[in-house]
């Protein structure tokens, strides 16, 4: 059997997302709006399969065929008859649920491959003897032959997502290196093209000279178009001695279905902002235009306090090994008015709280652009995983000058972060009950501060295409050295494009640190209804949760490649390092032996020293993240000082076995004691006449599978064919599936 870090355990936690009450309160028109937006999100989410691994689309198509022909209970009888044990069949259900939940065979949080926890030969018997195989023998056998080996393979390069020798990615062809990614980013910057909706494909001619294709995601391919914004860039270029070709049409048939649903949603928009927003999204997905998506995002920012909230597009860049390309994501949610009222009070205090952050006012936006901040009950979240909170849009130019929105996903928090005492690891016994009692409330506070004042704070110094600056070069001074700043962002440069591989983690670290820092402020705790001893407990558990998370993060470090596989986890480890560096016993990690005789460890946070030791350490660290590092005369995030930023951040993110912590040894303990991230079962919506019905499913692997089996009742087989055709068309770019399954070409 495979190493346990590459399987999903049979007893993995599974929870159902509860949005029944939120959905019940929607009007018929709001339900129709939510229904079509949900359809658009689910269709678009299929693109994630093509953004994950070469085999993921085939695995999805194979599973869909199996469970459309026989539901999990029916297939169980066949599997047991084929000689599988109950445990082996359950392992297969968990694997299938994991593929659906992560939209691929790599974990969305950690980017680690997972494989079925049963013998390949037994699974083959189940698949080839299934009802689906009886109905379509060539297609099912062809799919299995294409993806079966890769489904189980744990060759070193295939264990994690990454670029070049460090892992597998389908954002880049298999022969691309980090040097190719950097060259392509420089090319994109030179043409003022965003990387968000692109993939990079490299081919080499007979003389060994590389040729690059930058492919934009769009419905349109080479067809004529009136849109000069994109079409003028669809041509050949010579850049630094290498040929580049900009094309479009990536994921075209999938995005066509997204566009059709967005068109239908427009009829039920609540106001002109929503209508114009959807029109621009349609333009973006049709033409391949990020500028159109930005225009849609502007209307979205202006749509204050909608009952049905949504966002869709190529959003987060966490899984691109270079850190610039966005994974497709779409969500639809309903406002929770009670919790949103607390966030509104936090927003009202934001300008005052920003002054508490440890950097000069010149490093803050000229005017705080008051955002929406709502607590939402998620109806639909399509993509590779569901976060706890979101701060979007990610376009720096919009965030700096026009604003953003923050959302906390309340019903996700309720199920994803519920904790059983017996499964609590790495805590002292006398901390466990307090942790369970206050983890939820403290997380509400942390998410609010992280999204609103973490991601929402800080100014980027920019020189536009006309040479104008958004800051005064003469008066903006490095607060440590007293010197004028010496670097800034040029036109076309963004935080992601300049800081690339560390951009997401660095920004998450800054936001998490802001949350820890500002949760010490009495006004913040009062906003959330905590005073006195309760407020102190919330602070303590928030900090304790962060240091424990920093230890748990070691699971996502790969010693062989010396890299991190998940931005949030790297960020939390860095914060743990900062607090350990503060000394005076603020944080201690003690290796021990568990009751089972195996290695264990305990994290202790001295609550009496949070303010006296922890706050000054965090204050200094935050100031360095945003403004400067003493070893460099240039400022960091605000000014785009990549060299200084990397030196600071990567120094903290380094994992060694040096005492006293011995982090590499602790990593082995973390892997030994790790608990898999929960799977979340989402409902479906179904249109019956003019009414929209909510379909809910049980909290089990079988329930999650059923939710996906019923997600595309009209066109499931068509979608499977689309996915396999798209995967086959590009298969030559990887050493993975190289031939079309029979009947699928």
């Amino acid at each position: 059997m495979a190493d346990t870090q590459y399987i999903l355990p049979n007893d993995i936690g599974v929870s159902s997302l509860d949005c029944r009450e939120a959905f019940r309160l929607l009007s018929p028109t709001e339900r129709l709006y939510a229904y079509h937006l949900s359809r658009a999100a689910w269709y678009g989410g299929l693109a994630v399969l093509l953004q994950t691994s070469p085999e993921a689309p085939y695995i999805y198509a194979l599973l869909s065929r199996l469970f459309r022909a026989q539901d999990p209970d029916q297939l169980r009888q066949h599997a047991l008859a084929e000689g599988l044990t109950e445990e082996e069949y359950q392992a297969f259900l968990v694997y299938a649920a994991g593929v659906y939940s992560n939209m691929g065979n790599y974990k969305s949080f950690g980017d680690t491959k997972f494989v079925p926890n049963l013998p390949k030969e037994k699974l083959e018997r189940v698949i080839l003897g299934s009802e689906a195989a009886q109905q379509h023998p060539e297609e099912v056998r062809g799919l299995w032959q294409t993806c079966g080996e890769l489904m189980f393979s744990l060759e070193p390069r295939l264990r994690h997502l990454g670029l070049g020798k460090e892992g597998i990615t389908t954002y880049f062809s298999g022969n691309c290196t980090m040097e190719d990614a950097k060259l392509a980013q420089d090319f994109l910057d030179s043409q003022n093209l965003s990387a968000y909706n692109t993939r990079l494909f490299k081919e080499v001619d007979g003389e060994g000279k590389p040729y690059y294709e930058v492919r934009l995601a769009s419905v349109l391919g080479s067809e004529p178009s009136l849109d000069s914004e994109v079409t003028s860039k669809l041509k050949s270029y010579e850049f630094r001695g290498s040929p580049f070709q900009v094309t479009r049409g990536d994921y075209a048939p999938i995005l066509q279905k997204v566009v059709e649903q967005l068109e239908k949603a427009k009829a039920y928009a609540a106001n002109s902002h929503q209508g114009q927003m959807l029109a621009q999204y349609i333009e973006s997905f049709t033409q391949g235009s990020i500028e159109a998506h930005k225009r849609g995002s502007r209307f979205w920012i202006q749509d204050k306090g909608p009952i049905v909230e949504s966002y869709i597009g190529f959003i987060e860049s966490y899984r691109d090994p270079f850190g610039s390309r966005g994974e497709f994501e779409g969500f639809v949610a309903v406002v929770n008015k009670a919790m949103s009222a607390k966030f509104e009070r936090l927003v009202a205090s934001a300008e005052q709280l920003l002054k508490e952050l440890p950097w000069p006012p010149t490093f803050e936006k000229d005017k705080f652009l008051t955002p929406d901040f709502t607590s939402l009950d998620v109806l639909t979240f399509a993509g590779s995983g569901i976060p706890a909170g979101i701060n979007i849009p990610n376009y720096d130019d919009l965030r700096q000058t026009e604003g953003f929105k923050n959302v906390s996903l309340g019903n996700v928090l309720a199920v994803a972060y519920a904790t059983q005492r017996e499964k609590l690891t790495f805590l002292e016994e006398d901390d466990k009950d307090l942790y369970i009692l206050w983890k939820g409330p403290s997380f509400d506070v942390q998410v609010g501060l992280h999204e609103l004042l973490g991601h929402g704070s800080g100014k980027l110094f920019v020189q536009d295409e006309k040479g104008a600056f958004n800051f005064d070069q003469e008066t903006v001074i490095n607060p440590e050295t007293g010197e004028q700043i010496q670097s800034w962002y040029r036109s076309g440069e963004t935080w992601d494009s300049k800081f690339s591989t560390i951009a997401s983690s660095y920004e998450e670290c800054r936001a998490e640190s802001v949350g820890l820092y500002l949760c010490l402020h009495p006004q913040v705790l009062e906003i959330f209804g905590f005073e006195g001893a309760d407020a102190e407990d919330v602070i303590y558990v928030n900090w304790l949760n962060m240091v424990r998370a920093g230890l748990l993060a070691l699971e996502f470090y790969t010693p062989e490649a010396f890299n991190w596989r998940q931005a949030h986890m790297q960020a939390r480890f860095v914060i743990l390092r900062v607090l350990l560096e503060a000394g005076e016993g603020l944080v201690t990690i003690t290796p021990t032996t568990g009751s089972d005789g195996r290695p264990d460890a305990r994290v202790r946070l001295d609550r009496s020293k949070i303010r006296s030791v922890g706050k000054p350490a965090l204050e200094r660290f935050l100031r360095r993240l945003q403004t400067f590092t003493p070893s460099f005369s240039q400022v960091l995030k605000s000014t785009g000082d990549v060299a200084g930023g990397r030196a600071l951040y990567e120094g903290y993110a380094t994992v060694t076995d040096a005492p006293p912590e011995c982090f590499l040894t602790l990593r082995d303990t973390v892997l030994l004691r790790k608990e898999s991230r929960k799977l979340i079962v989402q409902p479906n919506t179904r249109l019956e006449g003019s009414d929209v019905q909510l379909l809910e499913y049980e909290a089990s692997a079988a329930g999650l599978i059923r939710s996906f089996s019923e997600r595309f009742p009209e066109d499931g087989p068509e979608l499977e064919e689309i996915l396999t055709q798209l995967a086959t068309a590009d298969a030559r770019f990887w050493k993975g599936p190289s031939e079309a399954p029979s009947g699928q070409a």
Side-chain angles (χ1 to χ4, degrees):
M1 289 293 132
D3 187 317
T4 56
Q5 66 177 306
Y6 302 111
I7 62 170
L8 302 177
N10 279 12
D11 63 351
I12 191 170
V14 184
S15 297
S16 290
L17 205 57
D18 182 7
C19 61
R20 188 181 310 139
E21 182 63 14
F23 184 80
R24 185 185 69 81
L25 295 173
L26 293 179
S27 71
T29 300
E30 290 165 346
R31 289 186 183 188
L32 285 163
Y33 183 65
Y35 167 77
H36 289 296
L37 289 176
S38 293
R39 302 308 302 155
W42 286 126
Y43 280 128
L46 296 173
V48 177
L49 294 160
L50 295 156
Q51 295 181 299
T52 300
S53 70
E55 67 274 14
Y58 300 103
I59 295 173
Y60 176 92
L62 178 60
L63 294 175
S64 294
R65 281 187 176 274
L66 284 176
F67 291 113
R68 188 168 57 251
Q70 293 171 282
D71 79 9
D73 289 340
Q74 294 169 330
L75 192 62
R76 171 180 275 106
Q77 300 308 311
H78 162 61
L80 297 180
E82 289 287 353
L84 270 70
T85 66
E86 287 282 0
E87 291 73 20
E88 288 170 334
Y89 182 68
Q90 179 63 20
F92 173 57
L93 290 186
V94 167
Y95 175 79
V99 169
Y100 286 136
S101 186
N102 292 277
M103 269 290 102
N105 55 332
Y106 287 76
K107 296 175 186 176
S108 60
F109 291 85
D111 298 341
T112 302
K113 188 174 185 177
F114 57 95
V115 300
N117 189 25
L118 71 160
K120 178 172 175 284
E121 298 73 24
K122 285 192 171 185
L123 181 55
E124 182 175 60
R125 289 205 301 271
V126 172
I127 290 170
L128 298 185
S130 68
E131 185 66 30
Q134 304 306 313
Q135 296 171 1
H136 303 282
E138 289 188 11
E139 289 89 340
V140 171
R141 182 174 291 276
L143 286 167
W144 174 248
Q145 288 175 346
T146 303
C147 69
E149 287 294 332
L150 283 168
M151 185 187 290
F152 282 84
S153 176
L154 285 173
E155 290 181 30
R157 188 189 174 199
L158 303 183
R159 293 174 186 172
H160 308 288
L161 296 180
L163 190 55
K165 297 178 180 179
E166 293 186 0
I168 189 72
T169 178
T170 47
Y171 285 107
F172 298 85
S173 56
N175 58 352
C176 281
T177 64
M178 191 60 72
E179 289 68 33
D180 294 315
K182 291 174 181 174
L183 177 66
Q185 186 63 60
D186 289 345
F187 164 72
L188 290 168
D189 289 345
S190 74
Q191 299 302 316
N192 203 24
L193 271 171
S194 171
Y196 270 119
N197 65 341
T198 71
R199 290 198 289 170
L200 183 70
F201 299 91
K202 171 185 169 183
E203 297 196 73
V204 180
D205 65 20
E207 299 178 356
K209 184 176 181 181
Y211 160 89
Y212 300 94
E213 177 196 359
V214 173
R215 190 187 303 168
L216 310 181
S218 67
V219 175
L220 293 177
S222 57
E223 303 92 329
S225 170
L226 298 175
D227 178 60
S228 59
E229 185 180 276
V230 173
T231 53
S232 63
K233 297 184 183 292
L234 300 175
K235 59 185 180 182
S236 298
Y237 302 79
E238 188 80 13
F239 183 76
R240 295 183 186 167
S242 295
F244 277 81
Q245 177 79 31
V246 178
T247 66
R248 66 179 173 187
D250 218 2
Y251 325 118
I254 292 173
L255 291 177
Q256 177 62 48
K257 289 184 174 290
V258 174
V259 165
E260 289 169 359
Q261 293 299 321
L262 293 179
E263 287 281 10
K264 292 177 179 178
K266 279 172 62 180
Y268 307 104
N271 53 54
S272 62
H273 290 315
Q274 290 181 0
Q276 292 175 92
M277 169 189 80
L278 294 176
Q280 291 298 324
Y281 290 165
I282 291 166
E283 175 83 358
S284 174
F285 299 142
T286 301
Q287 303 287 354
S289 169
I290 289 296
E291 288 304 315
H293 197 268
K294 284 185 179 180
R295 291 194 293 270
S297 298
R298 287 188 177 96
F299 289 118
W300 179 72
I301 292 167
Q302 295 167 29
D303 184 28
K304 302 288 187 180
I307 299 299
V308 177
E309 182 63 281
S310 69
Y311 197 68
I312 189 168
F314 295 89
I315 312 298
E316 301 292 357
S317 57
Y318 301 130
R319 300 185 93 187
D320 169 15
F322 190 72
S324 296
R325 288 152 190 82
E327 184 175 81
F328 195 95
E329 185 177 284
F331 76 84
V332 184
V334 183
V335 171
N336 178 320
K337 293 183 178 178
M339 193 63 193
S340 295
K342 296 180 181 179
F343 289 134
E344 286 171 12
R345 292 197 292 274
L346 186 65
V347 171
S349 303
E351 287 190 84
Q352 179 182 345
L353 291 171
L354 282 172
K355 296 175 183 177
E356 302 293 325
L357 293 174
W359 50 73
T362 50
F363 287 82
E364 201 49 72
K365 298 182 185 74
D366 300 331
K367 184 181 187 323
F368 181 70
L369 303 165
T370 305
D372 250 12
F373 198 159
T374 50
S375 177
L376 305 177
D377 285 341
V378 171
L379 174 65
T380 295
F381 205 112
S384 66
I386 311 179
I390 314 171
N391 177 285
I392 38 182
N394 286 337
Y395 305 120
D396 292 324
D397 48 348
L398 297 191
R399 296 165 63 84
Q400 293 289 310
T401 60
E402 302 193 38
F404 52 91
K405 283 187 183 181
N406 302 275
V407 295
S408 173
L409 305 179
N411 59 342
V412 175
L413 285 168
V415 298
Y417 296 95
T419 306
Q420 295 177 315
R421 195 182 197 281
E422 59 270 21
K423 292 191 175 183
L424 261 183
T425 54
F426 306 122
L427 290 181
E428 299 283 359
E429 284 299 317
D430 55 3
D431 274 335
K432 289 185 177 180
D433 292 332
L434 197 67
Y435 183 90
I436 291 170
L437 180 64
W438 291 109
K439 185 184 179 186
S442 72
F443 207 75
D444 284 336
V445 175
Q446 179 68 10
V447 168
L449 294 171
H450 173 115
E451 301 296 349
L452 176 67
L453 298 166
H455 292 314
S457 64
K459 177 178 181 174
L460 299 187
F461 296 148
V462 178
Q463 182 182 20
D464 65 23
E465 65 277 2
K466 296 178 181 177
F469 293 87
N470 70 342
F471 65 101
D472 188 333
Q473 288 179 279
E474 300 298 322
T475 61
V476 177
I477 299 297
N478 181 320
E480 177 77 0
T481 65
E483 298 175 358
Q484 294 175 347
I485 67 166
Q486 301 171 28
S487 62
W488 48 82
Y489 294 81
R490 268 69 177 183
S491 176
E493 292 181 334
T494 67
W495 167 250
D496 282 331
S497 71
K498 282 188 74 70
F499 281 73
S500 64
T501 54
I502 68 166
S504 294
S505 179
Y506 190 115
E507 175 61 10
E508 290 304 323
C509 186
R510 203 177 65 91
E512 292 281 42
S513 298
V514 166
L516 282 188
Y517 184 73
L518 288 180
C519 82
L520 300 173
H521 200 289
Q523 183 180 354
V524 169
L525 279 304
E526 289 171 10
I527 287 170
F528 285 88
F530 306 120
E531 296 180 340
D534 286 352
E536 292 303 310
D537 285 343
V538 167
I539 292 168
Y540 175 63
V541 170
N542 194 29
W543 280 58
L544 181 64
N545 184 52
M546 189 62 68
V547 297
R548 177 176 181 263
L551 179 62
L552 295 175
L554 286 167
E555 175 191 342
F556 303 95
Y557 178 75
T558 307
E560 300 82 6
F562 305 102
N563 69 6
W564 287 87
R565 303 188 309 274
Q566 220 280 336
H568 291 80
M569 299 305 174
Q570 181 179 4
R572 290 165 185 170
F573 176 77
V574 167
I575 293 171
L576 172 62
R577 285 285 304 273
V578 169
L579 297 179
L580 283 165
E581 185 184 81
E584 297 187 33
L586 172 68
V587 176
T588 53
I589 304 174
T590 307
T592 184
T593 301
S595 57
D596 56 3
R598 299 187 299 173
D600 205 342
R602 293 289 179 268
V603 171
R604 179 175 288 279
L605 171 69
D606 189 334
R607 66 188 298 168
S608 69
K609 296 178 180 176
I610 289 175
R611 284 186 171 83
S612 62
V613 179
K615 183 180 179 182
L618 204 56
E619 181 174 309
R620 181 170 179 268
F621 177 61
L622 257 176
R623 189 166 62 245
R624 296 176 77 191
L625 280 181
Q626 181 64 31
T627 64
F628 68 93
T629 174
S631 60
F632 288 84
S633 62
Q634 298 173 325
V635 292
L636 294 183
K637 184 180 191 297
S638 288
T639 64
D641 175 15
V642 179
R646 281 191 175 277
L648 171 71
Y649 197 72
E650 291 177 349
Y652 279 114
T654 300
V655 180
T656 72
D657 221 24
E661 287 80 26
C662 304
F663 283 121
L664 286 176
T665 299
L666 280 172
R667 178 180 179 273
D668 294 335
T669 303
V670 168
L671 290 174
L672 184 67
R673 301 283 178 182
K674 76 183 182 76
E675 181 183 359
S676 294
R677 188 179 180 88
K678 285 183 181 178
L679 304 179
I680 297 180
V681 183
Q682 297 189 52
N684 285 319
T685 50
R686 182 70 49 80
L687 186 60
E688 298 181 1
S690 59
D691 295 328
V692 179
Q693 302 297 321
L694 185 72
L695 306 180
E696 297 176 289
Y697 302 87
E698 68 177 26
S700 68
L704 198 156
I705 290 166
R706 289 189 181 99
S707 73
F708 267 87
S709 295
E710 296 181 10
R711 192 142 285 155
F712 304 107
E714 306 89 357
D715 51 7
E718 178 193 354
L719 292 170
E720 293 153 22
E721 186 173 354
I722 286 171
L723 285 165
T724 54
Q725 285 181 346
L726 291 175
T728 300
D730 289 328
R732 62 193 173 88
F733 288 112
W734 296 279
K735 293 181 180 179
S738 57
E739 295 182 5
S742 302
Q744 295 293 318

